[in-house]
Amino acid sequence: MRNGRIPVLVLAGFLGSGKTTLLNHLLANSLDLRIGVIVNDFGSVGVDALLVGGQADGVVSMGNGCLCCAVEEGGVGPMQDRLARRRAGVDAIVIEASGIAEPGVLVQLVLSCENPRITFGGLVEVVDAAEFERTRARHTELDRHVGLADLVVVNKADRVAPATLERVQDLCRAVNGRAPILATSHCVVDPRLLFDISVVTGRQLMLGQANGADSEDLDGHLDHSGHSSNAGHAGLTDDSGHSDHSDHMHAGYDAVSFVTDQPVDPRRLVQFLTERPEGAYRIKGFINFGVTGHRQRYVLHAVGRYLRFSRSPWPAGQSRHTALEIIGSGLDRGALGLALGSCVRPEPADGDAMLAVIRYTF
């Protein structure tokens, strides 16, 4: 903690870009800093909070909504206050935004926090190299999000051709010519880039406020990317004083949750995932297949047409169950519920059925 104040880093990026992967990497390589985490899951299951809960020095989770629109409940302030209490012993706070949050609003909410122990530490935008061009064509506001960042992490470099990676980096550099742009695989970032360490730009980055910058300086920084310094918190409320976030990216998205305590059939689930509706852009969660020899917790990540499982032990005290979150636009809740319900079976499948999953397991 620098000068007795706790820096708050905002970690943003579109659905499935790798924010939770980056956060877990930072927690596992924290340079002995005690890191508190605020996790915002757009849906109600809280998948991301469960993925980081065992590593952080304190976790505050907000599910079933978007943190950038929590102004009616005092915004992010009360969550920061909980982690900033002296007895919590936290040196830094990381806010992992939902994949469809407005990072500029989150930055303003941190800047407006009245807790004297808290200071803004920077904005990291994670970009999915494999999906960015397609996503950017649908959501032109992603250029603005990248333009606000203090560090741009172009993730999944291992999944694209060198020419594609260079093109994505050039697109990011075109809208943000001052921030470092770092290409990574699996979000492996040197934590010293985020924890008050000088980098190639010759200035201090993240968690520690570069060159002692204050809120006024950072408002000017937002200005550079297209926000007016005279706007105050424009965008948080309308003229009547009520929240208006119809122009936020998440206004066009919905989340459908699915939870069951019964085993899930591997073949049926993989068939659903590979044939899922076009609007179901992001699917994440935990799977209990219950198959002999495969009783571990299977973690699912699906982004666009990409599909991946990974295995890990079930955390102590957590019962074996399946909890999925489907995020997308134009989702048919009834059809998705029926399709996922058809994947449930009273008894586990046979071992051969796991071959359908193993081909996507890393």
Side-chain angles (χ1 to χ4, degrees), residues 219-237:
D219 282 339
H221 155 70
L222 293 176
D223 252 357
H224 182 73
S225 298
H227 284 236
S228 169
S229 59
N230 297 322
H233 295 289
L236 298 183
T237 58

Side-chain angles (χ1 to χ4, degrees), residues 230-289:
N230 297 322
H233 295 289
L236 298 183
T237 58
D238 61 18
D239 292 339
S240 64
H242 298 293
S243 295
D244 178 14
H245 18 265
S246 59
D247 60 338
H248 289 190
M249 187 159 54
H250 60 73
Y253 281 79
D254 198 3
V256 176
S257 302
F258 179 80
V259 179
T260 180
D261 292 327
Q262 292 185 293
V264 170
D265 186 280
R267 292 192 185 98
R268 295 175 190 170
L269 180 65
V270 169
Q271 182 178 1
F272 164 78
L273 293 170
T274 55
E275 299 176 359
R276 62 188 182 274
E278 190 67 29
Y281 179 81
R282 176 77 167 113
I283 305 178
K284 58 184 177 179
F286 311 105
I287 315 292
N288 172 34
F289 293 114

